Amino acid sequence: MSYRLYIPGPLTVSESIIKAMGKPMIGHRSKDFVALYEDMQPRLQKMFYTTDPVYLSTSSAWGVMEGALRNVCKKGVLNCMNGAFSDKWNDVAKRCGKYAEALQFDWGKPVDPVAVRKALATGKFDCITFIHSETSTGTLSNIAEIMAVIREFPDVISIADSVSSFSTLPIKKDELGIDILLTGSQKALALPPGLAIFSVSERARTRAKELSDRGYYFDLIEFHDNHTKGMTPSTPCISLFYGLQQRLVEVEAEGLENRYERHRRLNEMVRNWGLAKGFNLLPSPEFATRGLNCFKNDRNADLERLLKTLKSRHKLVIDGGYGKLKGKTFRISNMGDETDATISTLIAALDDSFAEQGI
Ligand SMILES: *Cc1c(COP(=O)(O)O)cnc(C)c1O
């Protein structure tokens, strides 16, 4: 049985991607592989708005989120926290033996650039992590304002997670001065899980060279040395590379601006449906993210029952709240390949499934 996924990752993977991933295997040190890698590189740089290299890691996003800290955190990291993923990053930093401090904001609130300035001014940190789009709460922080503050501190390396915002709206890495910008395959790009995609500044690589305990698998210098040969340090998930290449071709065919506009429109369609039903967003609307909506369960719906009906009757799945927000919120993704038609079908299914609860 297959279900259409409207959870905020993984998402339903299109036939064209599945077909591309079924291509015959090639050696990862072969000319064919180098051609595949070098074909994707300029396309990826365009999507990252960067002239820096874009590396590909066979891991989920967390691999690079952890790896980045092991590469650039010498003195201490400031973890900006406003949801499940950003909170976890502080725990991960400590588990890596790093000096880490939490800059905590309420779930559903964005990262406050003024608080970031105050914390960095203590001089305790040489790197900072933040999540552009907190998927657990559907909150989008103002990345331009945050980066403007971080740029006031030239010794601080910035690590930004764009897992659920990448390609839903422009994130201009070089213009904003982001050192490490990362995303994962299974959310905004609607590929299967297992690939992390990240672009790294020369500044960050210079810092990495100063650290002797950065390990091997996520060593930025290893990534870079192999990158210059059109390769990855170890054997990557080549099938996913084919999938990514197909995705990049499709993004170019649609056009980046059209892609952003489609996400804006579909996001608003779902949002307007929810508001009309009496569900408010968890974040305030100006900080609501583009790739999903996180609604508060303002009408006290039985979310478990709702999810069951959606799955059994309509063969689709939404999310009933992440971590401590389970039962209190529900999240609906419009990332990846959604269209006006698929979102309209979803909305009709939601109406039908809420109706049996009198909502
Ligand atoms: C899903 C998610 C992650 C973690 O991704 P994995 O692929 O499970 O490692 C990290 N950050 C954000 C914002 C996410 O949405």
Side-chain angles (χ1 to χ4, degrees):
M1 191 61 232
S2 79
Y3 305 95
R4 192 164 176 87
L5 299 177
Y6 294 91
I7 55 174
L11 298 158
T12 300
V13 178
S14 71
E15 288 299 323
S16 60
I17 300 284
I18 291 169
K19 186 162 166 250
M21 289 184 59
K23 283 194 211 172
M25 203 38 57
I26 52 174
H28 69 296
R29 301 295 180 218
S30 69
K31 282 202 177 83
D32 290 336
F33 181 86
V34 173
L36 171 62
Y37 191 98
E38 290 183 346
D39 172 68
M40 291 197 284
Q41 192 54 215
R43 300 165 189 259
L44 285 166
Q45 285 174 316
K46 216 168 135 198
M47 285 184 83
F48 276 85
Y49 297 85
T50 191
T51 56
D52 287 330
V54 181
Y55 308 133
L56 298 164
S57 164
T58 292
S59 67
S60 81
W62 270 118
V64 172
M65 291 162 80
E66 173 173 325
L69 286 174
R70 298 194 59 189
N71 274 269
V72 304
C73 181
K74 233 170 123 178
K75 188 157 70 175
V77 57
L78 180 69
N79 300 117
C80 303
M81 293 156 52
N82 61 336
F85 294 104
S86 47
D87 285 15
K88 182 81 190 163
W89 220 341
N90 183 244
D91 174 38
V92 170
K94 288 177 185 159
R95 291 191 198 200
C96 290
K98 300 297 181 185
Y99 177 75
E101 275 190 30
L103 184 62
Q104 184 79 62
F105 306 96
D106 289 342
W107 283 29
K109 293 277 189 295
V111 172
D112 173 14
V114 177
V116 170
R117 180 182 290 116
K118 200 173 153 210
L120 291 182
T122 61
K124 290 196 274 188
F125 311 104
D126 59 3
C127 65
I128 182 170
T129 66
F130 68 94
I131 290 186
H132 182 212
S133 165
E134 232 315 335
T135 318
S136 61
T137 64
T139 304
L140 189 72
S141 287
N142 188 324
I143 196 166
E145 286 181 8
I146 295 167
M147 284 310 305
V149 165
I150 297 173
R151 287 198 310 268
E152 295 169 16
F153 302 89
D155 294 337
V156 175
I157 300 287
S158 50
I159 311 170
D161 168 323
S162 67
V163 172
S164 65
S165 54
F166 185 77
S167 87
T168 71
L169 41 72
I171 306 169
K172 300 192 172 171
K173 179 180 173 292
D174 287 1
E175 196 178 302
L176 296 172
I178 303 166
D179 289 299
I180 302 179
L181 178 62
L182 68 100
T183 190
S185 52
Q186 80 276 24
K187 299 210 181 152
L189 292 170
L191 295 167
L195 188 64
I197 306 157
F198 61 116
S199 181
V200 177
S201 70
E202 198 176 342
R203 260 163 50 90
R205 276 187 281 125
T206 302
R207 170 71 61 78
K209 285 184 185 147
E210 296 168 12
L211 278 93
S212 56
D213 57 351
R214 53 185 192 267
Y216 167 68
Y217 197 73
F218 296 107
D219 179 359
L220 295 182
I221 307 306
E222 286 284 350
F223 271 99
H224 190 72
D225 289 349
N226 280 277
H227 166 85
T228 59
K229 295 180 268 180
M231 292 181 198
T232 52
S234 54
T235 321
C237 45
I238 294 170
S239 306
L240 269 170
F241 275 45
Y242 283 133
L244 176 61
Q245 185 185 40
Q246 175 66 22
R247 167 59 72 226
L248 295 172
V249 167
E250 291 178 13
V251 166
E252 274 167 32
E254 180 179 20
L256 271 176
E257 293 303 323
N258 293 334
R259 183 176 176 87
Y260 303 146
E261 168 55 23
R262 175 167 59 84
H263 282 84
R264 191 203 58 75
R265 185 175 74 247
L266 300 180
N267 187 246
E268 199 173 280
M269 256 171 91
V270 177
R271 183 169 312 168
N272 289 342
W273 162 84
L275 294 175
K277 272 256 178 285
F279 296 108
N280 286 300
L281 292 175
L282 180 65
S284 79
E286 58 173 319
F287 295 109
T289 197
R290 284 280 174 84
L292 65 136
N293 281 285
C294 179
F295 293 105
K296 288 189 282 187
N297 187 8
D298 286 324
R299 298 196 60 187
N300 270 321
D302 180 345
L303 292 180
E304 223 167 292
R305 182 175 169 203
L306 176 86
L307 264 55
K308 242 186 213 163
T309 306
L310 281 169
K311 194 167 181 181
S312 60
R313 197 186 294 166
H314 299 283
K315 311 293 173 238
L316 57 88
V317 188
I318 66 163
D319 170 83
Y322 193 102
K324 66 183 183 190
L325 294 175
K326 191 169 159 56
K328 299 193 178 103
T329 60
F330 58 99
R331 300 179 302 160
I332 301 172
S333 167
N334 58 273
M335 292 184 278
D337 297 313
E338 302 308 338
T339 63
D340 293 80
T342 62
I343 293 293
S344 298
T345 303
L346 163 72
I347 287 175
L350 285 165
D351 278 335
D352 176 68
S353 305
F354 271 117
E356 65 176 17
Q357 297 187 35
I359 292 171

